[in-house]
Amino acid sequence: MNHQAPPTTIRILLADDHALVRRGVRLILDREPDLEVVAEAGDGAEAISTARAQKIDLAVLDIAMPRMTGLQAARELSALKPGLRILMLTMHDNEQYLFQALKAGAGGYVLKSVADRDLVAACRAAMRDEPFLYPGAVTALIRNYLDRVRHGEEAPQLLTPREEEVLKLVAEGHSSKEIAELLFISVKTVQRHRENLLNKLGLRDRLDLTRYAIRAGLVEP
């Protein structure tokens, strides 16, 4: 007789300071065969001590809690258990909270008002390592990104046009002397640009620079 292995259950820690909310959320999650709430907490500090003591795969944290907020708990839990997936559950459709949650290590942001519709999908997405954001959050992220681009703040590793030219030529195999001649600059300046590129991009050597240039679409693979 063939015995099928039972589906892997996702073990969930649920933290919210309202017992009624916890009960409602638990009902939504426990209905699913692959989701099981194995622990509950009433605030962020309790969530952390529970996560230390028990094996959990996913923490669902309310943002506004006494003693320690869900955002503070998310930061601690990310450092404490790097493999742990974290979802924020909140009544606040608030860009500030959204960005703080992502910075704190949360992989998803679910509004309580639509938890019955979104939470199960968010839990499964988190376990697949995929971000889960409600539609308004996606709009906020795109708007924020475009604002930063417009103000020239996008990506700290954004290269200057000159650095981009040097990177392309390095990746194409030109020597520092050849690059200096092509760009009408001194060899010393080329070497300074190469150093800057390595530091700015956190890379080690010419091979890394070449790989980066291919990914950035500056040279053909």
Side-chain angles (χ1 to χ4, degrees):
M1 208 162 78
N2 269 342
H3 284 292
Q4 281 192 320
T8 312
T9 304
I10 299 164
R11 298 163 58 85
I12 299 169
L13 160 66
L14 175 59
D16 193 297
D17 55 319
H18 295 101
L20 205 59
V21 173
R22 289 203 307 272
R23 193 178 313 154
V25 172
R26 189 175 194 136
L27 280 172
I28 294 167
L29 296 175
D30 283 347
R31 276 201 306 252
E32 305 298 318
D34 56 334
L35 305 177
E36 186 191 358
V37 176
V38 295
E40 292 186 21
D43 61 51
E46 198 185 326
I48 289 166
S49 57
T50 307
R52 279 179 189 275
Q54 290 206 41
K55 185 192 177 311
I56 55 164
D57 307 303
L58 173 67
V60 177
L61 309 172
D62 180 25
I63 285 185
M65 292 189 288
R67 285 210 302 162
M68 184 186 262
T69 69
L71 292 167
Q72 292 169 314
R75 273 194 289 275
E76 291 265 339
L77 287 170
S78 295
L80 192 68
K81 296 196 161 194
L84 180 68
R85 308 295 200 276
I86 298 169
L87 285 179
M88 305 311 297
L89 182 63
T90 176
M91 58 195 290
H92 302 287
D93 179 355
N94 174 310
E95 282 182 32
Q96 201 49 47
Y97 282 146
L98 166 67
F99 293 127
Q100 284 181 35
L102 296 175
K103 218 179 271 182
Y109 192 92
V110 180
L111 295 179
K112 285 182 182 176
S113 54
V114 287
D116 55 337
R117 188 191 72 202
D118 285 356
L119 186 57
V120 169
C123 289
R124 293 188 181 134
M127 295 314 295
R128 290 193 305 268
D129 237 353
E130 293 171 10
F132 184 96
L133 301 170
Y134 62 96
V138 178
T139 309
L141 279 176
I142 293 169
R143 193 166 55 236
N144 179 272
Y145 172 81
L146 293 174
D147 280 350
R148 292 207 315 273
V149 169
R150 271 195 288 274
H151 293 105
E153 296 166 19
E154 181 37 37
Q157 80 261 33
L158 199 66
L159 304 180
T160 65
R162 178 59 97 201
E163 284 169 344
E164 206 170 87
E165 287 172 336
V166 171
L167 173 60
K168 180 171 167 56
L169 293 168
V170 167
E172 286 173 350
H174 295 282
S175 69
S176 292
K177 188 170 179 298
E178 287 168 343
I179 295 171
E181 285 166 6
L182 282 163
L183 298 179
F184 304 103
I185 55 179
S186 72
V187 171
K188 210 171 190 169
T189 303
V190 173
Q191 285 164 345
R192 197 174 68 242
H193 281 310
R194 278 179 71 149
E195 280 304 304
N196 286 347
L197 283 164
L198 291 169
N199 291 334
K200 204 182 246 196
L201 300 172
L203 303 175
R204 279 180 322 227
D205 53 27
R206 180 191 201 120
L207 186 61
D208 280 353
L209 284 174
T210 304
R211 285 196 191 109
Y212 182 90
I214 290 167
R215 280 205 310 275
L218 291 172
V219 292
E220 292 288 313

